[in-house]
Amino acid sequence: MSSGPSTVERARPSRLPQPLTAICAALFVVGTGAFLYGLSTNPQVAWLSFHTNFIYLAMLSQGALILCCAFVIVGARWPGPLRRIAEGLAAWIPVSLVLGCIGYFGGEYLFEWLREGAVHGKEPWLNETRFYVTDIGILALMTVLSLVFLKTSIRPTLGGGASEGMNGFAKSLADRWTSGWRGDEEEREASRARLATLAPIIVLLYALGYSVLVFDQVMSMEQTWYSNLFGAFVSWGGILCAVAAIALLSCLHRNSPTVGPGITTERLHDIGKMLFAFSIFWMYLFFSQYLVIWYGNMPEETAYLMDRLGPQFLNDKGTTPLEWALSWSDWNFRWDRFDENYAWLSMVVWACNWIIPFWVLLGARPKKTPWILGPVAIVVLLGFWLERNLLIWPSVIKQENVLYLGAIPILVALGFLGAFGLVFLFYTRVFPSLAVEDDS
């Protein structure tokens, strides 16, 4: 890993970039309009689109904060400005809480057990009160802890009159976050001590809380299916998304007059290595989950994968020892099997999230090359958006396997992208800005 800076960080506010901010605002407006139109014409498609993007960005933003916590826990100094980019991504976490509350109104279009009642034996878990109190409570707790982490992390960079370059809400917030200033050195020491306490707490709560959130918000959409590994699998996907987003934004900020000098080739190499390794671990988690379902061959487990992988990867193994042995000797591969269910989407997800990052980033040079690392990061981010669709849509819509590419889902996704971009731009450019190394 590359070495870290020894200089003091200072936040240097700058104006929101144009026309990028205007484009993000326009996307948000168009996406909101598409969602409202969808509610009046096809509410189920509208809410599925909303839920998919809610899960995608909630996991990505919280995963970015988990990376920041990991940097603190291990004492990593190599990330430099990459850590501030991760914190900018984490600024979306409070918005996830708001979206989680909005999602309450679309529950009946997403969860069969809300419409028709829970299957026998799951009534204590799958009931409306327990479900929403637990999940919104998790989002609220993680939002509070995340905001405390961000405030503690960024406070030492706001000394030296950083708020003088701000105005409006940003200035008032910066003034509140720096009230009772005790001097640069003392503030840095206090920040390090408090982050050292907060980081492991947030990581542990993420592992437990977001696993429960995934069980509720995604796995319970098919209430008869269950997998103990599913929470970890989806949560890890959020962390991998965050790594890809950091890698992409690092490449895009290479020419920035403020943080560009800090995004060195060594740091690109480091984040490229994380993208490479984390994609392998994601595939490992998927295969670990798939393998036990495949050889167990129990209908309550295989039905979930059959809807997503089709029959090619779940051949009938029979019940006798001879039938079992023959199933191993003849895979019976046929291309037409991929036309069933969501099989082709699964193939694209595998390619984007594992095959491409593995083979393209296998050497050292691609990880250090922005025009290679950046596109790979885009592929991974797109792949995980498709993967979130793959987790959610087949639970409700079994036969029409391309509805997630319709006009309303695409426009809603662009609306979420625009809103996410606005939050990131505001946090990193207006308050508290991307912190840079101050040699003075």
Side-chain angles (χ1 to χ4, degrees):
M1 293 294 184
S2 58
S3 60
S6 58
T7 51
V8 176
E9 285 185 300
R10 294 291 186 195
R12 296 177 181 173
S14 59
R15 294 182 178 180
L16 290 172
Q18 297 295 341
L20 182 58
T21 302
I23 293 173
C24 289
L27 289 176
F28 172 64
V29 171
V30 170
T32 302
F35 175 66
L36 295 175
Y37 176 76
L39 290 180
S40 64
T41 57
N42 194 336
Q44 187 172 67
V45 168
W47 281 113
L48 282 168
S49 304
F50 177 93
H51 195 60
T52 298
N53 291 283
F54 159 64
I55 293 295
Y56 177 66
L57 292 180
M59 304 304 293
L60 188 158
S61 58
Q62 194 66 64
L65 191 82
I66 294 304
L67 286 172
C68 296
C69 292
F71 295 151
V72 171
I73 292 171
V74 302
R77 299 176 61 194
W78 67 266
L82 274 62
R83 172 176 160 182
R84 301 304 180 186
I85 292 175
E87 291 176 351
L89 296 172
W92 180 262
I93 292 172
V95 183
S96 295
L97 172 60
V98 176
L99 295 175
C101 295
I102 295 174
Y104 166 81
F105 300 99
E108 291 188 358
Y109 294 98
L110 302 174
F111 305 105
E112 179 189 42
W113 55 268
L114 268 178
R115 297 190 304 271
E116 305 174 9
V119 296
H120 178 67
K122 290 191 175 183
E123 297 90 347
W125 184 260
L126 295 181
N127 67 81
E128 189 173 9
T129 301
R130 198 286 314 163
F131 183 88
Y132 285 109
V133 169
T134 300
D135 291 358
I136 293 179
I138 291 169
L139 290 171
L141 177 60
M142 295 302 291
T143 294
V144 171
L145 290 175
S146 299
L147 288 175
V148 173
F149 183 97
L150 292 176
K151 175 184 176 181
T152 303
S153 177
I154 209 65
R155 178 180 165 107
T157 73
L158 294 174
S163 64
E164 294 177 1
M166 304 180 188
N167 52 60
F169 174 74
K171 180 174 175 56
S172 64
L173 190 58
D175 290 338
R176 288 199 300 271
W177 279 21
T178 54
S179 62
W181 187 263
R182 295 167 292 180
D184 289 351
E185 187 59 34
E186 189 173 349
E187 290 293 342
R188 286 194 293 271
E189 289 299 327
S191 175
R192 280 193 286 266
R194 194 172 190 184
L195 290 178
T197 301
L198 278 172
I201 294 174
I202 293 174
V203 168
L204 290 173
L205 288 176
Y206 174 78
L208 176 62
Y210 265 63
S211 291
V212 173
L213 187 75
V214 169
F215 290 153
D216 284 349
Q217 295 290 330
V218 182
M219 192 167 73
S220 77
M221 294 179 72
E222 293 202 41
Q223 56 177 326
T224 58
W225 185 76
Y226 55 88
S227 168
N228 292 335
L229 189 57
F230 189 73
F233 170 68
V234 178
S235 298
W236 184 261
I239 296 176
L240 178 52
C241 275
V243 173
I246 295 168
L248 174 60
L249 290 168
S250 298
C251 294
L252 293 176
H253 280 88
R254 286 274 287 175
N255 296 323
S256 168
T258 53
V259 300
I263 302 177
T264 61
T265 300
E266 290 75 17
R267 284 183 173 128
L268 287 182
H269 189 204
D270 290 340
I271 198 67
K273 286 186 285 187
M274 290 184 71
L275 183 60
F276 173 79
F278 284 18
S279 69
I280 296 174
F281 188 68
W282 174 82
M283 190 62 190
Y284 161 78
L285 289 175
F286 169 80
F287 189 72
S288 299
Q289 183 175 236
Y290 164 77
L291 185 61
V292 294
I293 293 174
W294 184 85
Y295 69 63
N297 199 28
M298 295 186 291
E300 63 269 26
E301 294 182 346
T302 56
Y304 183 88
L305 291 184
M306 180 66 76
D307 289 339
R308 289 154 178 81
L309 297 178
Q312 183 59 61
F313 297 93
L314 291 165
N315 292 331
D316 185 3
K317 297 184 286 293
T319 56
T320 68
L322 177 60
E323 290 172 332
W324 178 274
L326 290 175
S327 71
W328 283 85
S329 62
D330 182 13
W331 190 25
N332 192 24
F333 179 88
R334 294 205 316 267
W335 282 108
D336 62 324
R337 291 174 180 261
F338 290 99
D339 296 329
E340 300 183 38
N341 303 329
Y342 288 75
W344 275 117
L345 177 58
S346 295
M347 299 305 102
V348 174
V349 167
W350 280 349
C352 292
N353 296 349
W354 177 61
I355 296 175
I356 292 176
F358 178 83
W359 289 108
V360 176
L361 298 179
L362 191 58
R365 185 173 296 277
K367 301 182 184 74
K368 301 177 181 180
T369 308
W371 64 267
I372 297 178
L373 178 61
V376 170
I378 293 175
V379 167
V380 172
L381 289 169
L382 175 61
F384 269 101
W385 181 78
L386 293 172
E387 190 251 12
R388 290 337 188 199
N389 281 277
L390 182 63
L391 295 179
I392 290 170
W393 285 75
S395 297
V396 179
I397 299 177
K398 305 293 184 183
Q399 303 302 324
E400 299 180 68
N401 56 13
V402 293
L403 280 181
Y404 67 96
L405 294 177
I408 289 177
I410 295 298
L411 291 175
V412 170
L414 291 176
F416 270 81
L417 176 63
F420 189 82
L422 287 174
V423 172
F424 179 82
L425 290 174
F426 178 83
Y427 186 88
T428 58
R429 301 299 174 89
V430 179
F431 175 79
S433 180
L434 288 170
V436 298
E437 299 171 13
D438 184 6
D439 296 316
S440 59

